[in-house]
Amino acid sequence: MKVVFSLLCICFPLVASGNYSVVDFGADPNGETDSTQSFLKAWASACSSVTPATISVPPGKFLIKKAVFRGPCSNTAITIEMNGTLIAPSDYRELGGSGNWLLFVKVSGLSINGGTLDGQGANFWACEKNCPAAARSITFNYAMDVVINGLTSINSKNSHIVINGCENVTVQQVTVVAPDQSPNTDGIHVQMSSGVTITNTSIRTGDDCISIGPGATNLWIQSIECGPGHGISIGSLGKDLVEEGVKNVTVKDVVFTGTQNGFRIKSWARPSNGFAKQVLFQDAIMKNVRYPIIIDQNYCPNTKGCPSQSSGVKINQVTYRNIQGTSTTKVAMKFDCSVSNPCKDIKLEDVGLTYRENPAQLTCVNTDGITGLALTSSCS
Ligand SMILES: *[C@@H]1O[C@H](CO)[C@@H](O)[C@H](O)[C@H]1NC(C)=O
Ligand SMILES: *[C@@H]1O[C@H](CO)[C@@H](O)[C@H](O)[C@H]1NC(C)=O
Ligand SMILES: *[C@@H]1O[C@H](CO)[C@@H](O)[C@H](O)[C@H]1NC(C)=O
Ligand SMILES: *[C@@H]1O[C@H](CO)[C@@H](O)[C@H](O)[C@H]1NC(C)=O
Ligand SMILES: *[C@@H]1O[C@H](CO)[C@@H](O)[C@H](O)[C@H]1NC(C)=O
C-alpha cells in the first residue's frame, strides 16, 4: 500500500498539471552537461499526454546535442515555455552531419514561447575541408498549427529557422542574429508550406533574412527589419525540372538596412515547370541597399548544370508598391528574366529609389512590359 501511495504522489501531480519541467527530467542549466535526453523525455511525456501539456525550460543554459521531437502526439496543444537558452555543441562533428540540430516532425498544435537558441556556429563557418552537412538550428517538418512567439536565434551553423511541408505556422516577435559574414545563415526559410505568417520580426544575418522556396503558398510577411543580410528572396526556384510553384505571397512593412538585396526573385537558368505568381511587395524602406528590386533568372553558380541557360520558371503578377529609399548601385531595379519565359504583369507603383540623390535606374531584359514606370525611368 505504501509503495502505491508514494508512486501516486510522484506521478499524479506531474500528469494532472500537464506541466513538465525539463529540470524534473534531469536537465542541468549549467551550459555544460548534456541535457538532450532530459528534453526528449519531457517531450515524450508531453506528447503522450491526452490533455494539453506544457514543457517548461527555466532560465539557464542547456546543452543539447541533437534532438528530434517527433509527432504525431496524443494531444494538439503542447506549449514549450522557454525562459532559458539552448546551446548547440560548438564542435559541429557532434551533430553527426545530420543537417539539423533541433527538429520537430509531424507535430500538430505546438507553441514555442520565448527562449534563445544559440547555434554556436563560429567553428562551422570557419570549416574549409571535410565539413559535414551544416545544421539548421530549428526545423519544422510536416507540422501543423504551430506558433513561434518571442524566440531569439543566434549564430546558427546554417539556416536559423526552417519551415518545410507545414500548414498554418505563425512566427512572431522573433529575433535572429548572426554576423553579416557568416555563410548560409538564412534567417527564416519557408518551403512546401501553406498559411505561414511571419510578423514583427527582426533579422540580422549573413544570408537571406527570409528565403522562400518552392511550394510556398499563402505566405504573409509583415513588419520586418532586415539587415545586415541578403534581403527577402523568393528562390532559388527552378533547380528541379518538376517543382512546386510559389503562389500568393505578401510582404509588407519592411525596413532593409545595408542589405545586399531588398526584394529578390531568383531562379536557375535551367528547364523547370516552377513558377512564382501573385506576389505583392508593399511599403518598404531601403537604406543603402545594393539591389533594392531584382529579378534574376540567370542563376547558375560556376556556370555548371544549366544546359540551355534559360529558366523555365514563369514569373507572373508581381507588384512593387510604395518602395522608397536609397540604393548603393545606379541600377536599383533590375529585371533580368528568362528568354524562354519572359516575366509577365510586373507592376511598379509609387517606387521612389535614389542613387546618390538622383533617381535610380532600371534595366529590363525579357519582360513582357512593366506597368507604372515613373516618367524618369525607362526600360533599357
Ligand atoms: C510550469 O512549471 C514551471 C516551474 O514550476 C512554472 O514556472 C511555470 O509557470 C508553469 N507553467 C504552467 C503553464 O503551468
Ligand atoms: C518564464 O517567464 C514567464 C514570463 O516572463 C513567467 O511567467 C514564467 O513563470 C517563467 N517560467 C519559468 C519556468 O521560469
Ligand atoms: C492555426 O493554428 C492556430 C494555433 O494552433 C490555431 O489557433 C488556429 O485555429 C489554426 N487555424 C486554422 C485555420 O486551422
Ligand atoms: C506587432 O506587435 C505590435 C505590438 O505587440 C502589435 O500592435 C502589432 O499589431 C504587431 N504587428 C503585426 C503585423 O503583427
Ligand atoms: C492569400 O494568402 C492569404 C494569407 O497570406 C490568405 O488570407 C488569402 O485568402 C489568400 N488568397 C487566396 C486568393 O488564396
Side-chain angles (χ1 to χ4, degrees), residues 247-269:
K247 187 177 164 187
N248 185 18
V249 175
T250 301
V251 188
K252 283 181 76 166
D253 305 332
V254 186
V255 178
F256 294 95
T257 307
T259 50
Q260 183 194 72
N261 307 289
F263 297 121
R264 172 168 66 171
I265 303 178
K266 179 173 154 190
S267 77
W268 285 75

Side-chain angles (χ1 to χ4, degrees), residues 195-197 217-221 247-250 278:
V196 176
T197 300
T217 62
N218 300 351
L219 173 58
W220 190 276
I221 298 171
K247 187 177 164 187
N248 185 18
V249 175
T250 301
Q278 295 164 25

Side-chain angles (χ1 to χ4, degrees), residues 9 44 50 79 105 128 144-145 188 192 195 213 218 256 263 285-286 294 303 323 326 363:
C9 280
V50 293
T79 301
V105 183
E128 286 176 357
M144 256 180 86
D145 305 339
I188 303 173
M192 298 304 296
N218 300 351
F256 294 95
F263 297 121
I285 295 171
M286 306 276 172
I294 179 165
T303 57
I323 295 169
T326 54
T363 61

Side-chain angles (χ1 to χ4, degrees), residues 109 145-147 168:
D145 305 339
V146 173
V147 179
N168 185 24

